[in-house]
Amino acid sequence: MRLPSQSLSTLAGALALSATALAAETPLERGAYLVEGPAACGSCHTAPMPGAAPLAGRTLVEPAFTAEVPNITPGSRIADWSDAELVRAIREGIRPDGSVIGPPMPIMLYRHLSDSDVTAMVTYLRTVPAVETKFKASTYPFPLPPAYGPPIDSVADVPREVSVAYGEYLAGPVAHCLECHSLKDGMPDLDGHLGGGGHTWEGPWGVSVAANLTSHEDGLADYSDAEIATMITQGIRPDGSQMHPPMSYRHYAYMTEDDVAALILYLRTLPPIPDGG
Ligand code: HEC
Ligand code: HEC
C-alpha cells in the first residue's frame, strides 16, 4: 500500500472550522473531518502521485493480490446509489447489486462506525469534486466471504471526549490504526497481537515496518505524549527520522488535539507485547 501525497489544503478551512466549532459542527463538516483526517479514505482511494484527483481511485498492488480501488467521487457509479446503499457499502461491504467489497477495505472495523459518523461521511462524499472514470473490477486470487457479518441495524455514537473509549473508537473503526499495527503473518490479529507491529511494506522508499504501539518498552512506553503526537501527525520520531508509507500521517495532521489525546490515552492501555512477540 502506498501513501498519497495529494494536496488536502482546499479542505483546510472546513477542517479548521470543525476543530474549533465542534458543538456547532454540521454533518458535512464532520464527514470532511473524518474522511480527510483520521479515516484517511484517500490513503487507498487516491492515487499516490502529486496532483492526483482526490478519491478518484487507483490500482493498489499488495503482495497477495492487486485491488482496483474504486473512484468514490460523485462522478463514479456511487452517484446512482442512495445514501442508505452507500452506508451499507462502507459499513457492511455489500454493494447495491449484492456483491461484496474485497480487501484491503477495512470492513471488519468499519462495521463499528456509528450511524451519525458513517452518514456524515456519505454527506461529504457527495460534495467532493466529481471525476469521471470507468469502473474496473478487482480480481482476487481467493474467494471473498459472502458477507462480513449479519446486517447492521444501528450503531450508537461513542461520546466524543478525551477518553480511552473514544480513543479506541478512533484507533479501530475510524482510522484502522490497529489493522496495520496488529498484522501477524499478513492477517490482523486483534486478539493475540493487538498493536504488536512487525508487518513490513516495500516500496520506492525502501522497507517500512509497522511499529510496536503497545505499552511495552519496545513499543511506546519510553515516548512522552508530545512525542507520540508528533509521530502520529507529522511522521517524525524524536530522533528526527522521518516515517515512510503507508503510515498516513499526512491525513492525521488534520486531527484535532483532543482526538490525538484520546488516541494516545487508548494506546497507553494496550497490553505490552515485545518486538517479535
Ligand atoms: C486500506 C484501503 C482502503 C481504505 C482505507 C478505504 N477503502 Fe474503500 N475500498 C478499497 C478497495 C480495495 C475497494 C474495492 C474492493 C473490491 O474491488 O472488491 C473499496 C471499495 C469501496 C467502495 C465501493 C465502491 C464501488 O464502486 O464499488 C466504497 C463506497 C468505498 N470503498 C468507500 C470508502 C470510504 C468512504 C473509506 C473511508 C472511510 C474507504 N473506502 C477506505 C480500499 C480501501
Ligand atoms: C496503512 C497502515 C498503517 C495505518 C493505517 C497506521 N499506521 Fe502507524 N505506522 C505504519 C508503518 C508502516 C509505520 C512505520 C513507518 C516507518 O518506519 O517508516 C508506522 C509507524 C507508526 C508510529 C511510530 C512509532 C515508532 O516507535 O516508530 C506510530 C506512533 C504510529 N504508526 C501510530 C499510528 C496510529 C495512532 C494510527 C491511526 C491513527 C496509525 N499508526 C495508522 C503503518 C500504519
Side-chain angles (χ1 to χ4, degrees), residues 1 39-41 43-45 67-72 77-78 81 86 89-90 95 100-106 110 121 125 135 138 140 144 176:
M1 209 159 24
C41 308
S43 65
C44 291
H45 283 272
E68 298 295 345
V69 191
N71 177 353
I72 51 171
R77 61 184 191 169
I78 72 162
W81 301 0
L86 195 43
I90 297 168
R95 302 186 182 92
V100 169
I101 295 174
M105 173 99 165
Y110 288 170
M121 286 176 171
L125 287 180
F135 177 78
S138 309
Y140 294 97
L144 297 180
H176 71 284

Side-chain angles (χ1 to χ4, degrees), residues 218-243:
D218 291 343
L220 300 181
D222 296 337
Y223 292 120
S224 69
D225 287 359
E227 288 171 336
I228 299 175
T230 302
M231 291 194 285
I232 296 173
T233 59
Q234 296 173 35
I236 301 171
R237 294 194 185 79
D239 67 4
S241 61
Q242 178 74 48
M243 285 173 212

Side-chain angles (χ1 to χ4, degrees), residues 96-123:
D97 66 5
S99 64
V100 169
I101 295 174
M105 173 99 165
I107 304 289
M108 287 310 286
L109 291 167
Y110 288 170
R111 285 179 65 81
H112 303 283
L113 284 170
S114 75
D115 298 348
S116 59
D117 280 350
V118 72
T119 308
M121 286 176 171
V122 165
T123 305

Side-chain angles (χ1 to χ4, degrees), residues 120-140:
M121 286 176 171
V122 165
T123 305
Y124 171 66
L125 287 180
R126 303 288 193 201
T127 69
V128 305
V131 179
E132 293 194 19
T133 54
K134 203 170 171 324
F135 177 78
K136 274 191 273 180
S138 309
T139 335
Y140 294 97

